[in-house]
Each structure stands twice: as C-alpha cells, then as structure tokens.
C-alpha cells in the first residue's frame, strides 16, 4: 500500500522531506500540502502537482490523506496534531512537538483518549548511523556504566530572528532528546553556564553557552551550544563509561587538499550532516504507517523534551540548578 501523505507547512524542511519521499524513499506519496501563506501553497502545489489548502483542518479531513507530516512553525503544531489524532490519522511532527510542556500534555491527553500512539516526533539524530552505533555499544554493557557525556552543537550562523531562548528550545533540544534516548534515562536537573560571548554576532544572544544536564542515575552531561562559530555545522558527542570512551568520529565524507593543506571537508548545516538520518527517519515512519504501527519518538518524548527545555530556559535567567518538572509517565507510553 502506498501511504498518501498530507504535508502541513511545506517550507524549507517540508520541501526537503517531499523531495526525499519522491526520490529515495519507498512506499509514500505526498498528495496534498497546506500553508497559511497562499503564495507558498500555490507554488508548492503547482511544483509537485498536488492538492493545495490554506486551511490545515481541510487537509487533515481530506479522505485522500492517510497520514500527515507537520513541518510548520512550532506554535501551530498542537492544534494540528490534536486534529490528526481525533481524525485517527498517524502524524509525524517536526521538533519541537509543542513549544511548551502544557501543549505537550494536551497532545498526550488526546492520544490517551484515542487509546493509541499516533504521534511521531521528528528527532532525527535517533536515526543517525553513528549515534546508533554508539547507543548499541553502550546498551551492550561492554564498556560498563556511562558516567559523563560531552556534546558540542555548533552552527556557522543563525538568522537575526533567532531569539535568546532558541539556544535551548531550537538547538539544544536535539541533545536533550538524544541524551534521553542514548542513556534511557530522564533528565532531572539542568544548569546553564555562560562563557565569554562571541563578538561576531547578535548582542541579544548569549553565545556560546553550556547546558549542563543530570540524569536520574547521576550521569553528568554537558552541551556546548555555539550558534555563530563562523565556520561549520559541527556536531560532537563523547560518552565516557567505566571501561571505555565512545566518540562520534568527524562526520566528513571527503578529504580536501588546498592552500591550507589536507583537511576534512566540513558540513555546513543539518541537512548535510544528518541527510542519511532524515531519510531513515521518514522511511521508517512511512513503513510503520503502512503496517499501522507506531515508530520513532513518541508524544511522551516530545513532552519530556519540552519539560527539559522549560527548565533550561529558566536556567538561562536564574543562577544555579533548576529541577525538571514532569508528570509520571502514562501507561500508554510505558
Ligand atoms: C535548527 O532548527 C535545527 O534543527 C538544527 O539542527 C540546529 O543545529 C539549529 O541550531 C536549529 O536552529
């Protein structure tokens, strides 16, 4: 069966997903798009020869749409996800699932009323080959207990509309989810340390910053978030365990020789660095939808990430550690 997909918010990320579905992913077809921006709907629906809506509710209700991908602006996610759940349609939503924990609670309540997990959150690093290898080694127990994890999340630059809280909500959220997944533990406490600021970009940002996280069993995690490093999209992760250290290797695909000597070519953005992960993520989701199964991060993962982000944003303005407040995990997500 070909899964007929409706896409809400076909901007840059959405169109990259459409292109993947059309070129390298099997079993799915985008049949409709919706966007509040009429011009964009017209352009995208003409380009791909699909139906166009300006009202996402009409796309969700369309009987030709089996499942929905949401790639719109974060604050618009909650209402559309809940409408999908109420229509009984599986939904893949780009991160953040909702910008705050209350919105995520509302999504989980809707899913619990429906009695099944219909929501997948687009945390693509869970699908990256190198992170998966790291997790397999840690899970095997061969290096003992994980004690410390060091992360680096560096972007060449961000646009002027990137607000101060986005270092946590939009950038650090990737490590927040990846660390929960890698350790299998919840993050219970966070702190933000503020090094000397770069003079290169926006005065309104604390850039770089260090997010410190503690898990339930006491694993200590740091995350250097530096979004204007001027040179590359540089993602690093090193897990220090009792009898071994596992580190992502540099993610270069090629070596380059030139006036500066021989060096690894750098990746410049998340599409380049995580291109393979995006393909695997969407392929696994489409395959699961065709079997009427759930896959990937659940609404609980979206909720947990939102709770840690809420604490992280508070820690940006408060001294010291902030506890992460979460409800007990509902049985549906056990
Ligand atoms: C962006 O939204 C992403 O998701 C990227 O992976 C991240 O590196 C970037 O900082 C965010 O703005």
């Amino acid at each position: 069966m070909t899964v007929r997909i409706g896409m809400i918010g076909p901007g840059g990320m959405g169109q990259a997903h459409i292109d993947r579905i059309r070129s390298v992913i099997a079993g799915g077809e985008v049949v409709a798009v919706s966007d509040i921006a009429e011009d964009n709907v017209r352009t995208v629906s003409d380009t791909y020869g699909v139906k166009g809506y300006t009202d996402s509710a009409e796309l969700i209700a369309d009987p030709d749409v089996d499942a929905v991908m949401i790639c719109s602006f974060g604050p618009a996610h909650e209402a559309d996800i809940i409408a999908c759940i109420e229509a009984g349609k599986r939904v893949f939503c780009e991160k953040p699932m909702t910008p705050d924990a209350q919105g995520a609670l509302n999504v989980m309540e809707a899913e619990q009323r429906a009695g099944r997990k219909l929501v997948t959150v687009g945390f693509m690093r869970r699908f990256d080959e190198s992170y998966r290898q790291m997790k397999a080694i840690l899970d095997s127990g061969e290096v003992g207990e994980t004690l410390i994890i060091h992360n680096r999340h560096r972007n060449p630059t961000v646009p002027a509309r990137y607000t101060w809280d986005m270092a946590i909500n939009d950038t650090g959220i990737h490590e927040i989810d990846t660390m929960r997944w890698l350790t299998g533990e919840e993050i219970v406490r966070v702190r933000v340390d503020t090094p000397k600021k770069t003079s290169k970009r926006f005065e309104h940002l604390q850039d770089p910053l260090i997010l410190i996280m503690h898990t339930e069993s006491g694993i200590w995690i740091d995350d250097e978030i530096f979004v204007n490093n001027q040179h590359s999209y540089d993602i690093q992760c090193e897990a220090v365990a009792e009898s071994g250290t596992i580190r992502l290797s540099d993610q270069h695909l090629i070596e380059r020789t030139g006036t500066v000597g021989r060096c690894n070519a750098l990746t410049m953005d998340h599409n380049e660095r995580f291109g393979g992960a995006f393909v695997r993520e969407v392929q696994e989701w489409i395959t699961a939808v065709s079997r009427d199964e759930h896959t990937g991060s659940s609404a609980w993962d979206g909720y947990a990430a939102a709770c840690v982000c809420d604490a992280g944003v508070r820690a940006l303005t408060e001294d010291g550690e902030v506890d992460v407040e979460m409800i007990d995990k509902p049985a549906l997500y056990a």
Side-chain angles (χ1 to χ4, degrees):
M1 154 203 170
T2 298
V3 178
R4 296 168 305 170
I5 299 163
M7 155 92 53
I8 300 174
M13 179 58 88
Q15 287 183 44
H17 282 320
I18 298 179
D19 291 336
R20 287 182 189 105
I21 292 167
R22 290 166 65 94
S23 57
V24 289
I25 290 176
E29 183 192 355
V30 175
V31 295
V33 293
S34 88
D35 199 322
I36 45 171
E38 214 170 303
D39 286 1
N40 193 40
V41 174
R42 208 170 311 114
T43 311
V44 179
S45 61
D46 286 354
T47 307
Y48 296 107
V50 300
K51 287 191 226 179
Y53 295 102
T54 48
D55 182 355
S56 54
E58 287 179 23
L59 175 140
I60 294 166
D62 185 335
D64 290 337
V65 167
D66 302 316
V68 177
M69 291 184 87
I70 300 179
C71 302
S72 52
F73 179 51
H77 291 176
E78 180 186 335
D80 285 335
I81 298 175
I82 292 176
C84 290
I85 295 169
E86 288 174 350
K89 296 191 180 180
R90 294 198 179 271
V91 51
F92 173 100
C93 181
E94 270 306 335
K95 64 88 190 166
M97 180 178 83
T98 58
D100 58 18
Q102 184 55 53
L105 282 172
N106 299 340
V107 168
M108 287 197 297
E109 272 163 22
E111 254 191 344
Q112 289 172 89
R113 279 196 300 276
R116 55 197 191 123
K117 291 195 286 182
L118 294 168
V119 181
T120 293
V121 186
F123 286 122
M124 80 296 197
R125 291 199 192 175
R126 295 178 179 223
F127 298 84
D128 178 69
E129 196 48 50
S130 52
Y131 273 114
R132 282 188 165 185
Q133 282 181 30
M134 190 178 216
K135 181 166 170 58
I137 296 169
L138 295 176
D139 285 352
S140 75
E142 70 187 83
V143 290
E145 295 287 321
T146 304
L147 310 173
I148 301 171
I149 309 180
H150 303 290
N151 296 278
R152 314 274 180 271
H153 188 156
R154 301 180 182 137
N155 289 210
T157 190
V158 286
R161 65 182 147 74
Y162 186 97
T163 49
W164 62 277
D165 55 307
M166 287 171 77
I168 307 288
N169 285 337
D170 190 57
T171 300
I173 191 171
H174 284 292
E175 280 77 25
I176 290 169
D177 178 69
T178 309
M179 294 301 102
R180 294 182 56 254
W181 167 78
L182 201 61
T183 62
E185 295 187 26
E186 295 302 346
I187 293 162
V188 293
R189 244 175 19 260
V190 299
R191 186 181 88 225
V192 171
D193 284 358
T194 52
K196 181 169 176 176
K197 274 170 71 159
T198 174
S199 62
K200 298 290 181 194
R201 292 288 281 206
F202 315 112
E203 193 45 40
H204 69 277
L205 300 181
Q206 167 56 52
D207 190 36
L209 60 79
I210 317 285
L211 173 65
I212 309 286
M213 302 176 258
H214 301 267
T215 70
E216 292 163 291
S217 77
I219 302 171
W220 185 97
I221 300 171
D222 64 7
D223 186 16
E224 175 204 304
I225 299 168
F226 185 14
V227 295
N228 287 288
N229 78 356
Q230 311 293 299
H231 55 81
S232 61
Y233 188 75
D234 183 14
I235 302 299
Q236 300 178 29
C237 181
E238 180 180 62
V240 181
E242 290 170 308
S243 51
T245 297
I246 324 288
R247 189 170 73 83
L248 298 187
S249 66
D250 287 335
Q251 300 302 315
H252 64 280
L253 301 174
I254 53 166
E255 276 191 349
R256 190 156 120 180
T257 306
T259 47
V260 291
R262 176 168 297 156
C263 56
N264 299 333
L266 302 167
T267 57
M268 295 310 288
D269 66 19
H270 53 279
N271 278 317
E272 197 182 349
R273 166 63 182 84
F274 290 109
F278 281 122
V279 169
R280 226 167 279 126
E281 170 188 52
V282 178
Q283 179 66 73
E284 289 188 22
W285 178 70
I286 288 175
T287 304
V289 172
S290 70
R291 296 178 182 153
D292 200 19
E293 289 169 3
H294 181 269
T295 188
S297 317
S298 66
W300 171 259
D301 297 309
Y303 167 71
C307 293
V308 181
C309 284
D310 284 354
V313 171
R314 272 183 54 203
L316 265 171
T317 55
E318 290 173 20
D319 283 341
E321 299 202 321
V322 175
D323 289 334
V324 177
E325 285 164 21
M326 283 173 74
I327 62 163
D328 291 337
K329 196 188 265 191
L332 182 64
Y333 305 103

